Amino acid sequence: MTDLYAHSRNKAGIKHHLSDHLSSVSKLAGELLADTPLADEAVLAGLLHDLGKYGDLFQARLKGEEKGIDHWSFGAWSAISEYKAIAAALAIEGHHIGLQHLSKNHLSGINPKQLEMNHPLQLRLSETNLDVIKSRLLTDGITPSIKNTLLGNELNSTVSTMLDIRMVFSCLVDADFLDTEAHFNGTSEGKQYRQPGPELEAERAL
């Protein structure tokens, strides 16, 4: 495990290892969409959503030495360029800056090479080289993969597709919140997750 972190120290003085955060969010997001065609993209989105935190500038930001850092676009771009997972890419980006338009122009604009030249939010990428980021991910033993994608290479913006993308987005946001909360509520014994709520009794509600 690398000494690279997702979050600062909690009340027990423990930093949140980035590899643990990515793996945990991936697992939680996948569980929220278990037994649906969207589960694979949710799992991938969890693994990649904070990929840019492997960058040196983000690690400096955790120490209060930097600010104005984009740590999500590397993950969104990897989802598109390597895994053809458009829903995961939009969920990753949307988790940080709000869901954006499903269009070829917008997706191509996530390319880190373009963002380095002209970032729409006037931010800097956390690292200059995506290969450095990916190498650190692999060093942490994380090897993303995906079998089934929602869209593939098709930009099919039907109502049902957009609802599916919002489901992946929603589950990623919830999973990230739960794991981050568990870290900051953690003790010397580890993360402390909130107790699950009561199960939905759909038939009884009807």
Side-chain angles (χ1 to χ4, degrees):
M1 181 184 294
T2 61
D3 287 327
L4 298 171
Y5 302 96
H7 301 111
S8 55
R9 297 181 190 277
N10 60 16
K11 59 186 179 182
I14 299 171
K15 294 180 181 179
H16 196 180
H17 274 101
L18 181 52
S19 59
D20 173 79
H21 180 57
L22 297 180
S23 298
S24 297
V25 171
S26 175
K27 180 176 182 293
L28 288 168
E31 289 173 350
L32 290 170
L33 284 173
D35 301 320
T36 76
L38 310 176
D40 280 359
E41 294 229 28
V43 168
L44 182 69
L47 289 178
L48 298 177
H49 80 286
D50 278 348
L51 181 61
K53 289 187 176 183
Y54 277 109
D56 290 340
L57 287 180
F58 179 82
Q59 294 301 309
R61 177 181 175 275
L62 280 182
K63 301 173 185 176
E65 298 170 357
E66 290 287 351
K67 60 182 180 179
I69 305 301
D70 173 343
H71 66 266
W72 57 88
S73 291
F74 278 125
W77 181 248
S78 291
I80 297 171
S81 62
E82 295 185 51
Y83 305 102
K84 312 302 180 188
I86 294 173
L90 288 173
I92 291 167
E93 183 187 42
H95 168 48
H96 293 92
I97 62 172
L99 277 173
Q100 304 297 304
H101 186 57
L102 175 59
S103 70
K104 184 176 181 179
N105 285 341
H106 175 72
L107 294 175
S108 63
I110 302 174
N111 188 328
K113 292 182 179 179
Q114 291 194 34
L115 292 174
E116 282 182 12
M117 295 185 293
N118 182 27
H119 199 294
L121 300 178
Q122 306 303 309
L123 301 175
R124 290 178 294 161
L125 297 177
S126 61
E127 185 60 61
T128 58
N129 190 336
L130 177 57
D131 288 337
V132 171
I133 297 284
K134 290 162 57 178
S135 174
R136 291 172 180 174
L137 181 74
L138 293 175
T139 297
D140 266 343
I142 298 176
T143 54
S145 64
I146 189 168
K147 293 181 179 179
N148 301 303
T149 61
L150 177 63
L151 292 171
N153 290 319
E154 299 296 325
L155 298 183
N156 182 12
S157 56
T158 63
V159 172
S160 61
T161 295
M162 295 311 296
L163 287 173
D164 286 342
I165 290 172
R166 281 167 170 76
M167 283 294 292
V168 176
F169 162 74
S170 178
C171 290
L172 174 62
V173 171
D174 287 352
D176 179 70
F177 181 89
L178 290 171
D179 189 63
T180 301
E181 178 186 61
H183 163 68
F184 283 108
N185 287 339
T187 68
S188 58
E189 297 181 355
K191 293 186 290 188
Q192 299 293 312
Y193 286 96
R194 64 170 63 192
Q195 292 297 312
E199 291 188 10
L200 178 65
E201 298 181 46
E203 293 183 1
R204 183 178 178 184
L206 296 173

